[in-house]
């Protein structure tokens, strides 16, 4: 910071860039609206390496404190996308629906709703990420399946959408270079929890993918990225507004993450649970959420479809086996081992189990999803640092959900593991359960739906 | 940010430190009060290199946005001082007064009030800094005097206070290591303008020096570090509160920086003006401010002294020549060239002058101090980057002040220079003057005084 070189053109452009950042920090802190051109320049300069990390993090922290107006968030989203690749789904000749979840514990929804919607004849292109911290990622879960390729090029994505009406793949870092550059910095500077920064990050990647409709699943509750309910509502509204400004038909569901979703937490365990759901098993909470999301995705593609008609199509897709068959077709098309898919018992299975039992009789009052997510982490189901290897077989299988009655000695949860810190995992899992002396209400699965359906009628 | 090494003890302690910073950022943003131990640990970790710049800058930006309660600012001040050196003036056997200005254009007050107060028999120890940007620094000004040593060790400081009752020296970076570490980062991350961060930075160094009384000169107006009046008031109150918590008797003056102070702006030019003031010349605004500050410094040492008695002592110190003689004694004691001091014409003098003239008849409505400070910078009187050399002879001498009448063609200001960008300096100086068609009120020199005098009566 102290030593400065004599100025040549490069250092002069760096000085100009630095002066510009300092100006935007001061103006944002003073409550001024940042013009789109200033936000564009800031991200351009950062991506080009003209702004050092310590200045960008001060800008991000200032935005996280002060917030942004929707016009500023729109400008940031546009700046994130600038210079990136596009998957260009606009040209595939049919309406394509994308889906995104803000992430939670046991959230294997994408593995179920994508084939259901595709089986109903609506094309779905799902770009997914990896998990970090207590929440898992769809790509990590799918890597439990031997042979499945999850790094498809844009041309392959378009071909699968055309031929099969379904694709799930990892998202290319090149979709939104500005988001890629800032995301890693946000993660290490405590600036993740910010509505405009989250909204711009998510929507920029969706804009780059270029689907026609987008369904957002915004989690709320103790296991969500954003735990504060009002902030989650604000995030859902902001993202719907933002996506609409970029021409995407968008709706958002505010769904419950006050306990883990479904019974299984952990990669192969969740794939097995998703396959069971596709075969028609009813999983409390999880099945209901999958059906609501599937219905809304169908309606994004077919705005004239009534709720009842859409629900009926979803039911038939599952009961007829069409959704399950669509999943198998899709997985084979992306290279999956057919034998493993035909028999989910061949998916990675942990050699050891520990059982967590109730120490008294009563009712399950709450199950802390963060404690469960962290317990799964401790036995290797996720990663604490980017790029670390994970054990796809490891995780937690809940045996009880909130509202269930238990007798002393009943099994509350199983820990599936091989290596890792089983003592911590046991303590975390046991501590996640609160047993009460009376029955409690089960929280609703879907709290709210955002995005005017009427806007879609055209 | 992406690649991470396998964890050894060092990286583990870095990870712990990082996790701690992220926690304090999130809690500060959520409006929580940070406990003193968390602030202490954060600064310790940063000084020890366990927290990267990009995380510290996010923390600083968050504090700049959200602010801090006085208890947090006190903890930050204590953390800044921890592990630093002390000048230890507590043991010199008499009450010692320190003085600090938040800085402004033409602010050579310390050169005048220090010898006045010392001539009145009250010991003054003044630790000064260098200028950066549009405002000059006392050390740069004094370096105009050949031979003067301004890097005294703590023992020399104590000896001069004892023998002469006066010392002015540069401040050792070792006084407040936490402040030193964060100061450079604040400068390049747009986090300078924050009341708690400024207050902790200033008061930490004063606590380390360890004088008994402290007079703060907080500038307000266009040429001040903090231009917003309400924020300057808040800063003055915060610093008085903070200094008092560390056992310093403290008062603060909110003084005017809506125009440059005195006529001279530039290092040797200001030394000459200070010497003239010590010889009894009356300089509008400047003389008044020096007398008020001198009186308040005397009263910090001698709480029973009435305003009238103190004013009388100050007048006699100047009119008798005692203050001027004290300056010469002091300068010789710190190695200054006696001939140069006896004849100020031997101080550095610029070879060239340009005159800025009024383009019409009227009254001076305003003189933008930033434009004048920047004009002086352009001809080499200050530095834009730390460590750059300066031309001690260069600067601006105003010929008119706010409220003065001017006739078309009158000289408004002289630019003294040798090299540098004289065209910019001329344009800036000319643009600094606003001439109006009617006389305007001259702003008061002292806006407000903070710190209860009653608290000092003991």
């Amino acid at each position: 910071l102290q030593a400065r070189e004599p100025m040549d053109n490069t250092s002069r452009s760096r000085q100009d860039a630095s002066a510009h950042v300092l100006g935007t920090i001061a103006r944002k802190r003073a409550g001024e609206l940042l013009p789109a051109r200033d936000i564009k320049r800031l991200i351009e300069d950062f991506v080009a390496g003209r702004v050092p990390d310590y200045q960008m993090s001060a800008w991000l922290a200032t935005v996280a404190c002060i917030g942004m107006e929707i016009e500023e968030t729109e400008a940031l989203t546009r700046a994130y996308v600038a210079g990136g690749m596009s998957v260009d789904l606009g040209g595939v000749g049919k309406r394509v629906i994308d889906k995104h979840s803000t992430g939670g514990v046991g959230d294997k929804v994408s593995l179920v709703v994508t084939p259901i919607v595709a089986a109903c004849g609506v094309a779905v292109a799902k770009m997914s990420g990896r998990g970090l911290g207590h929440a898992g990622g769809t790509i990590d879960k799918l890597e439990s399946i031997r042979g499945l390729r999850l790094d498809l090029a844009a041309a392959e994505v378009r071909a699968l959408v055309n031929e099969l009406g379904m694709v799930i793949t990892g998202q290319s870092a090149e979709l939104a270079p500005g988001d890629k550059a800032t995301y890693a910095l946000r993660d290490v500077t405590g600036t993740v929890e910010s509505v405009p920064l989250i909204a711009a990050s998510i929507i920029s990647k969706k804009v780059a993918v270029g689907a026609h409709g987008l369904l957002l699943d915004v989690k709320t509750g103790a296991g969500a990225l954003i735990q504060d309910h009002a902030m989650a509502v604000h995030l859902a509204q902001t993202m719907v507004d933002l996506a609409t400004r970029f021409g995407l038909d968008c709706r958002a569901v505010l769904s419950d993450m006050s306990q883990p979703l479904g019974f299984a937490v952990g990669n192969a365990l969740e794939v097995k649970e998703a396959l069971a759901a596709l075969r028609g098993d009813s999983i409390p909470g999880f099945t209901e959420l999958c059906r609501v999301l599937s219905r809304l995705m169908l309606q994004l593609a077919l705005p004239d479809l009534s709720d009842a008609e859409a629900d009926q199509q979803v039911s038939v897709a599952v009961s007829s086996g069409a959704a399950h068959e669509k999943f198998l077709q899709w997985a084979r098309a992306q290279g999956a081992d057919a034998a493993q898919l035909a028999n989910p018992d061949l998916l990675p299975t942990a050699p050891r189990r520990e059982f967590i039992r109730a120490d008294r009789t009563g009712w399950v009052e709450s199950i802390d999803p963060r404690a469960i997510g962290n317990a799964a982490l401790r036995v290797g189901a996720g990663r604490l640092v980017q790029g670390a290897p994970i054990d796809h077989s490891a995780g937690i299988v809940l045996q009880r959900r909130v509202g269930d009655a238990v007798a002393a000695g009943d099994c509350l949860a199983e820990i599936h593991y091989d290596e890792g810190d089983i003592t911590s995992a046991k303590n975390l899992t046991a501590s996640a359960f609160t047993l009460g002396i009376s029955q409690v209400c089960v929280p609703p699965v879907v709290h709210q739906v955002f995005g005017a359906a009427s806007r879609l009628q055209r």
Side-chain angles (χ1 to χ4, degrees), chain A:
Chain A
L1 297 182
Q2 307 267 356
R4 299 220 168 109
E5 301 288 318
M7 284 199 293
D8 55 17
N9 276 343
T10 308
S11 66
R12 195 181 296 275
S13 83
R14 277 175 202 235
Q15 283 205 352
D16 288 350
S18 283
H20 181 256
V21 187
L22 299 196
T24 63
I25 290 170
R27 278 179 284 138
K28 175 44 70 184
R29 194 164 63 228
E32 287 177 37
L33 200 76
L34 298 181
R37 64 174 181 281
D38 285 0
I39 293 170
K40 180 169 179 281
R41 175 163 176 203
L42 174 76
I43 300 300
E44 264 174 21
D45 282 344
F46 184 59
V47 169
R50 287 187 292 268
V51 168
D53 282 353
Y54 58 77
Q55 288 185 334
M56 192 64 197
S57 70
W59 187 84
L60 291 165
T62 304
V63 168
C65 287
I66 309 286
M68 295 215 282
E69 296 293 328
I70 189 73
E71 292 77 13
E72 295 173 294
T73 310
E74 184 183 343
L76 184 62
T77 307
R78 212 175 290 282
Y80 277 172
V81 176
M85 312 262 285
S86 168
V87 179
D88 197 19
L89 290 175
V92 300
K94 49 177 142 181
R95 281 180 72 78
V96 184
I97 308 303
D98 197 351
K99 179 249 170 198
H100 184 86
S101 161
T102 61
V105 177
D107 184 2
K108 73 286 291 175
V109 168
S110 290
L111 307 191
V112 176
V113 300
T114 310
I116 288 177
V117 173
C120 294
V122 166
V124 189
K126 174 82 191 82
M127 307 283 151
S128 294
R130 293 189 182 278
L132 184 64
H134 76 281
T138 298
I139 296 302
D140 292 329
K141 292 168 195 181
L142 285 172
E143 281 182 349
S144 308
I145 302 171
R146 204 161 43 222
L148 192 64
R149 289 189 307 113
L150 295 160
D151 54 352
L152 306 188
E156 286 181 284
V157 170
R158 288 191 297 269
L160 275 171
V161 166
N162 258 326
E163 291 155 25
L164 200 64
M166 170 173 172
V167 63
I168 306 180
T169 182
Q171 69 212 338
S172 159
E174 302 311 310
L175 285 178
D179 174 61
K180 179 184 184 325
T182 45
Y183 195 87
L185 191 57
R186 283 172 59 211
D187 192 39
V188 294
T189 54
T191 52
V192 169
E193 259 196 54
S194 154
V195 166
L197 295 180
I198 295 173
S201 173
I202 291 175
I203 301 301
S204 64
K205 287 174 281 201
K206 298 302 164 186
V207 167
V209 168
H212 305 88
L214 171 63
L215 186 70
L216 297 166
D217 182 8
V218 178
K219 304 293 187 190
T220 180
L225 177 64
I226 292 201
Q227 297 174 62
D228 180 72
H229 188 81
M231 199 169 164
V233 167
H234 180 38
L235 176 62
Q237 290 170 325
T238 301
M239 289 200 290
V240 169
D241 190 348
L242 201 54
T244 309
R245 283 164 179 258
F246 285 93
L248 276 160
D249 281 333
C250 181
R251 297 191 81 181
V253 164
L254 196 68
S255 75
D256 191 69
M257 188 38 68
S258 65
Q259 64 176 323
L261 196 53
F263 294 108
V265 176
N267 300 288
L269 294 168
E270 294 190 43
V271 171
K272 290 175 198 172
E273 188 168 54
L275 286 168
L278 284 169
R279 282 190 310 264
D281 281 13
S282 177
I283 297 151
F286 178 64
T287 295
E288 186 188 341
L289 180 61
C290 289
R291 290 186 173 225
V292 172
L293 295 182
S294 299
R295 190 240 295 161
L296 290 167
M297 287 169 77
L298 286 182
Q299 291 176 322
L300 277 169
L302 307 163
D304 295 331
L305 209 61
S306 72
D307 288 1
E309 287 165 345
D311 283 339
Q312 173 67 12
Q313 287 195 18
V314 170
S315 286
V316 170
V318 176
S319 63
S320 68
H324 185 248
E325 180 53 31
K326 181 61 81 171
F327 185 93
L328 301 183
Q329 277 179 9
W330 158 76
R332 284 192 296 261
Q334 289 189 200
D337 182 306
Q340 203 184 32
L341 285 171
N343 180 6
D345 291 344
L346 298 178
L347 286 164
T349 303
R352 297 195 271 180
R353 294 192 190 186
E354 280 279 349
F355 300 91
I356 306 298
R357 298 185 185 281
D359 56 1
R360 52 179 157 147
T361 295
W363 276 269
V364 179
E365 205 168 273
S366 64
I367 307 173
D368 177 7
R370 264 172 206 265
I372 297 294
N374 285 325
L377 268 185
R378 297 304 169 101
V379 289
R383 52 179 77 84
L384 281 165
V385 294
Q386 286 176 27
I390 63 178
D391 177 353
H392 286 94
S393 72
I396 316 288
V397 179
L398 305 179
Q399 298 297 329
R400 291 288 187 281
R401 294 186 52 77
V402 171
D404 288 353
V406 290
D410 278 1
C411 181
L412 297 174
E414 295 171 4
I415 305 176
H416 294 228
Y417 73 106
D418 182 10
E419 294 180 329
D421 181 357
I422 183 65
T423 309
S424 293
K426 279 171 71 175
N427 290 339
L428 279 164
T429 306
S431 74
F433 282 83
T434 306
L435 303 184
I437 53 165
S438 58
Q439 196 164 11
V440 297
C441 286
V442 181
V445 172
V446 171
H447 291 270
Q448 227 172 321
V449 180
F450 300 89
S454 66
R455 204 169 46 206
L456 308 172
Q457 310 288 336
R458 49 178 191 204

